[in-house]
Amino acid sequence: MSASPHSFSKPPRGPDVLGELLHSLSQPLTSLRCSLELSIEEAAEQQQESVAVALQQTEKVIAMIQLMREYLDAEQPGPEAFSTALAPSMRSVIQELSSIAAVRDVRLRLVGTCTATVPVPESRLRLALQYLIASMIEGQPAGGKVMLLLGEGPAGAVLRVEGERGFRELDFRAMEQSATSPQAKRDPAGVTSASESTLRRVRLAIASRVLETAGASLVFGDAGHTRVDPAGFVLRIPRRLGPPAR
Amino acid sequence: MRILIVEDDAALSSFLRKGLEAEHHAVDVANEGNQGRAMAMEFDYDLVVLDLNLPGVDGLSVLRSLRQRKANLPVMILTARSRVEDRVQCLDSGADDYLVKPFSFLELSARARALLRRSHLPSESILTVRDLCLDRVERKVARAGRHIELTTKEFALLEYLMRNAGRRLTRAMIIEHVWNLTFDSTTNVVDVYINYLRRKVDDGFSPSLIHTVRGVGYQMCPEGASA
């Protein structure tokens, strides 16, 4: 089996323990996934459905493991050598998510620009922005709109993202409660909704950690109080994280 | 093609061997680093699939040795480490590709084909599956001589399906390669775009080329067998 990255004289602690466990899980899960993928064609027709369900469940477990890894990574500060410009990453993420927005009949519009950089690897910044903006898109009604306003002031850069609906904590709680109710236990669709809401919350937590670990601040809109006002989130990147003074 | 798998987990190396042999590759397996390095140096492989955490000599050391003696041999790294720094270290050490566990065999197979293609053939500018043609340079698509208008995303999706014609592709692979996202949103965007493509590429033509593979995803079938 794989060698442990830790010496025996210093037992791993906290996140390291979790990291090692996740690392160890990845090996048998790879075997399980590959085995099911290769079996699906060989299985007799009456067994194919069972293999397909097993494969789907395995992929769900893998998705959860992936999120746990991302969360662990987000807890640790990125290497200082990395510095990623916010505006190009924003534009690229919006481009990637535009077809998802179109499928949901939600308009995405980016206004403004900035020169700020964030001290995280590009892939991590893009992941955080994808999670935030994808969640905003998914929360909007058909025909809705998500406005992304990017600007720069004396204190630093600000990204303000507004939609008709924000990240409403009450919605999440309602989903969880409905999923644990007796009716929901008989309703697989309800359980799926709860699972999706959990995934969404974890993705938002990862996005928050990535950005906060990099010194930025992220505030979610208070849509629960003002239903008529636009809601969403505000990301602030202080000047000290911006480009070096010339 | 001849492929060497250097992987210490017997169950995993056995599945990889079985899957790659089913795709008509000749496959050898080494279970530890020294053995893998010796085999890679001695024999003439078209691709090495190399695990990083190996007993004996670790995968990075094997990779560095290979790069000194066989600079053009394609090497795909398998690892459970997913951080950017790990990827950078692997690529800087000379890896051609990098796959994070728990990966899909279909993903490994697709990437192996891409590496083998890159090392043996010039990149094709025109892709053809039966009577469907996609010109990557002119950005044009035609079926049975009839021009088909596609959006940018539809074009990218069709190109990915055609590049992997005859192979099963999961939704996760499609969303990663075509949308550059590592997560599946609740929009079922892959299914929606496959439907868009079917309307344009398959409706009114025979046989249907885009097939649903139950429990897996989709497949562009060059034989045109019924779905």
Side-chain angles (χ1 to χ4, degrees):
Chain A
M1 246 340 258
S2 307
S4 164
H6 298 279
S7 70
F8 288 109
S9 60
K10 193 179 175 190
R13 290 170 170 271
D16 291 341
V17 175
L18 194 52
E20 277 207 34
L21 284 172
L22 292 174
H23 185 92
S24 305
L25 266 175
S26 67
Q27 193 88 335
L29 276 172
T30 311
S31 297
L32 183 59
R33 183 188 216 173
C34 291
S35 157
L36 290 168
E37 283 175 344
L38 294 170
S39 305
I40 205 161
E41 275 190 354
E42 293 169 359
E45 200 169 333
Q46 62 268 34
Q47 289 172 332
Q48 273 186 350
E49 188 139 349
S50 307
V51 178
V53 170
L55 180 57
Q56 281 163 5
Q57 295 303 314
T58 305
E59 283 175 351
K60 278 187 186 172
V61 173
I62 288 170
M64 299 282 184
I65 298 272
Q66 179 60 27
L67 280 177
M68 289 164 80
R69 269 183 178 170
E70 284 172 5
Y71 190 80
L72 265 182
D73 286 350
E75 287 286 306
Q76 295 163 18
E80 285 177 12
F82 288 100
S83 181
T84 307
L86 176 64
S89 295
M90 269 301 300
R91 283 193 287 271
S92 152
V93 165
I94 287 170
Q95 177 71 28
E96 285 156 6
L97 294 175
S98 60
S99 54
I100 289 177
V103 165
R104 293 188 76 94
D105 192 20
V106 172
R107 278 184 299 147
L108 271 183
R109 187 160 177 235
L110 173 65
V111 178
T113 190
C114 72
T115 58
T117 59
V118 186
V120 291
E122 189 189 358
S123 60
R124 216 185 280 188
L125 178 61
R126 286 163 60 96
L127 184 76
L129 294 172
Q130 282 173 351
Y131 282 171
L132 286 167
I133 297 166
S135 290
M136 275 298 285
I137 293 168
E138 286 170 3
Q140 303 310 307
K145 184 169 71 172
V146 175
M147 280 292 292
L148 303 106
L149 309 151
L150 195 52
E152 211 156 21
V158 178
L159 169 67
R160 190 179 297 275
V161 178
E162 297 174 348
E164 286 171 40
R165 293 183 196 154
F167 302 102
R168 284 185 292 173
E169 198 60 32
L170 285 174
D171 275 357
F172 291 137
R173 279 199 212 115
M175 274 183 177
E176 280 191 329
Q177 280 162 3
S178 70
T180 50
S181 71
Q183 289 132 313
K185 282 178 180 155
R186 291 193 297 270
D187 168 21
V191 174
T192 304
S193 300
S195 159
E196 280 163 7
S197 90
T198 304
L199 287 179
R200 184 150 69 154
R201 279 191 306 160
V202 174
R203 285 178 189 142
L204 291 177
I206 290 168
S208 298
R209 287 305 297 153
V210 167
L211 295 164
E212 284 164 6
T213 308
S217 84
L218 185 65
V219 178
F220 291 103
D222 197 7
H225 291 287
T226 54
R227 288 184 64 85
V228 286
D229 287 346
F233 65 88
V234 179
L235 171 68
R236 291 178 201 280
I237 298 171
R239 174 64 65 191
R240 63 189 163 79
L241 299 177
R246 297 183 186 195
Chain B
M1 300 289 178
R2 192 172 184 194
I3 299 175
L4 172 65
I5 298 169
V6 190
E7 165 63 64
D8 62 324
D9 186 274
L12 179 57
S13 58
S14 141
F15 290 127
L16 296 183
R17 167 181 240 159
K18 184 178 166 193
L20 291 168
E21 282 179 348
E23 295 182 351
H24 311 293
H25 298 295
V27 181
D28 291 330
V29 173
N31 301 116
E32 54 94 43
N34 277 316
Q35 186 195 7
R37 182 165 58 187
M39 288 170 75
M41 295 293 192
E42 187 177 347
F43 302 109
D44 199 13
Y45 291 103
D46 297 293
L47 171 68
V48 174
V49 178
L50 178 64
D51 186 28
L52 271 194
N53 286 314
L54 292 166
V57 180
D58 70 84
L60 267 184
S61 304
V62 174
L63 175 62
R64 289 186 187 119
S65 304
L66 282 179
R67 280 295 161 254
Q68 286 172 5
R69 294 265 303 272
K70 295 194 170 185
N72 297 322
L73 172 62
V75 177
M76 185 196 301
I77 293 290
L78 306 181
T79 178
R81 300 175 202 157
S82 59
R83 298 192 61 176
V84 177
E85 304 86 279
D86 300 321
R87 289 174 199 230
V88 170
Q89 190 187 18
C90 273
L91 297 172
D92 280 352
S93 301
D96 296 279
D97 203 355
Y98 183 104
L99 204 48
V100 178
K101 294 175 184 177
F103 55 79
S104 155
F105 173 76
L106 305 177
E107 177 77 35
L108 179 136
S109 159
R111 290 189 188 213
R113 280 196 310 280
L115 284 177
L116 292 168
R117 201 166 44 222
R118 203 191 300 166
S119 62
H120 286 87
L121 295 168
S123 180
E124 301 159 276
S125 63
I126 296 180
L127 302 175
T128 307
V129 175
R130 292 181 70 102
D131 56 350
L132 177 66
C133 285
L134 179 144
D135 187 327
R136 296 171 60 229
V137 178
E138 297 284 329
R139 314 284 299 171
K140 284 180 180 167
V141 174
R143 182 153 185 199
R146 228 158 77 194
H147 174 71
I148 296 171
E149 199 68 51
L150 296 180
T151 64
T152 308
K153 199 54 79 181
E154 289 165 353
F155 188 93
L157 176 57
L158 183 63
E159 182 181 345
Y160 185 59
L161 292 172
M162 291 179 76
R163 279 206 165 283
N164 293 284
R167 315 279 177 175
R168 294 168 294 155
L169 301 171
T170 65
R171 287 176 180 81
M173 286 165 74
I174 295 173
I175 203 147
E176 188 175 340
H177 288 271
V178 179
W179 273 268
N180 199 20
L181 298 173
T182 54
F183 63 100
D184 199 1
S185 81
T186 54
T187 51
N188 300 324
V189 70
V190 173
D191 303 315
V192 171
Y193 270 77
I194 287 282
N195 277 336
Y196 292 163
L197 264 191
R198 277 181 166 147
R199 275 185 226 149
K200 294 182 177 182
V201 169
D202 275 344
D203 281 6
F205 296 99
S206 182
S208 293
L209 296 177
I210 302 171
H211 296 236
T212 302
V213 184
R214 196 169 53 170
V216 176
Y218 296 98
Q219 178 177 31
M220 172 151 278
C221 182
E223 286 76 40
S226 58

